[in-house]
Amino acid sequence: TDDWDRRLCRTYLEEYMGPEQLEGELYLAPNFAVPGNTDYKGYHEYIDDNLPQESPALYGLHLNAEIGFLTTTSESLFRVVHGLQPRDAAGSAEAGSSREEIVTSIIEELTERLPDPFNLAELQNKEENKTPYTVVCLQECERMNELTSEIRRSLTELQLGLKGELTITSTMDDLSTALFLDDVPETWRRYPSTLGLASWFTDLMQRVKELETWATDFSLPNSVWLGGLFNPQAFLTAIMQQTARKNEWP
């Protein structure tokens, strides 16, 4: 139908249509030779009996290509099994702590560790001539404030619900389950991460620390943790803008 389709078909013909196909020396996949002359049923039987087990090598990929898939599948499986545990896990019951007590303890710990929000008004007035780097820093501080405010609000709301002062909603119940299972609640997922709740919160504190250092005098750090930014692309754009201004490029 077009040049690309013709190119694909021509490549297939050049690769598979040749003397090797008739002589049985052509392999369609590793250890899977072209079958001999037979009927329709015979081809099906040959495929069922000889087709290798699906693996990255079957598609011309390195075996390590399967590691990520298997890791994700295993984590998903264990997460589901973990979520099927009774609300009062056996280990917790033996320790004399109910699910609500565990969740309450986690809420208190996270609330105590949660940093104060950035004073955006003060930061805005601190720097008169805002460079692209300053704008990125202010944007990151604003996004961090939104995230920490949501964390503080949801934890406070859930704590009141556990005390009986508020009605437990489905959102609060999902938050409670996530805290109990050491999972990051959906409403807190503002950037990609595969960490559990404890590691994720430690990572969040490191992100806050980097922003606090950067926002002290808006001096660009010697090294910037790109993965610790909500929008790394904005920082890369700021580099291009600053370089263009410095060299007076259009």
Side-chain angles (χ1 to χ4, degrees), residues 17-18 20-21 25 31-32 45 61 64 66 73 90 92 121 153 156 166 173 195 207-208 211 218 247:
M17 295 300 176
E20 299 85 357
Q21 185 181 31
E25 299 178 358
N31 301 321
F32 185 61
E45 291 177 351
L61 302 175
N64 287 346
E66 199 173 19
T73 303
S92 300
R153 182 203 63 79
T156 302
L166 288 177
D173 187 59
L195 299 174
R207 292 168 182 259
V208 172
L211 286 178
F218 290 112
N247 296 279

Side-chain angles (χ1 to χ4, degrees), residues 56-191:
L58 195 61
Y59 301 98
L61 302 175
H62 191 274
L63 293 177
N64 287 346
E66 199 173 19
I67 293 178
F69 167 75
L70 295 177
T71 301
T72 302
T73 303
S74 301
E75 290 177 349
S76 177
L77 174 62
F78 283 114
R79 189 177 296 110
V80 171
V81 172
H82 194 189
L84 292 176
Q85 292 184 111
R87 291 301 181 94
D88 293 326
S92 300
E94 293 175 1
S97 300
S98 65
R99 179 178 186 269
E100 286 72 18
E101 291 173 339
I102 294 174
V103 172
T104 300
S105 174
I106 295 174
I107 292 174
E108 293 174 351
E109 178 185 355
L110 296 183
T111 303
E112 183 179 352
R113 294 175 58 191
L114 203 60
D116 295 329
F118 291 97
N119 190 333
L120 294 179
E122 180 180 332
L123 294 178
Q124 289 279 1
N125 297 327
K126 182 184 295 186
E127 192 77 7
E128 295 182 359
N129 299 323
K130 295 181 176 60
T131 66
Y133 298 129
T134 303
V135 174
V136 171
C137 182
L138 290 173
Q139 291 174 345
E140 290 294 318
C141 290
E142 183 178 359
R143 291 188 177 96
M144 184 60 73
N145 277 358
E146 293 175 358
L147 175 55
T148 55
S149 297
E150 170 60 24
I151 295 175
R152 183 177 287 104
R153 182 203 63 79
S154 57
L155 290 177
T156 302
E157 188 179 69
L158 178 58
Q159 192 171 35
L160 293 175
L162 294 176
K163 291 179 180 179
E165 299 179 17
L166 288 177
T167 302
I168 297 290
T169 63
S170 59
T171 303
M172 295 164 65
D173 187 59
D174 291 342
L175 174 59
S176 176
T177 301
L179 296 180
F180 182 69
L181 297 178
D182 192 39
D183 195 13
V184 181
E186 286 295 329
T187 56
W188 298 5
R189 296 181 182 271
R190 302 298 176 88
Y191 50 84

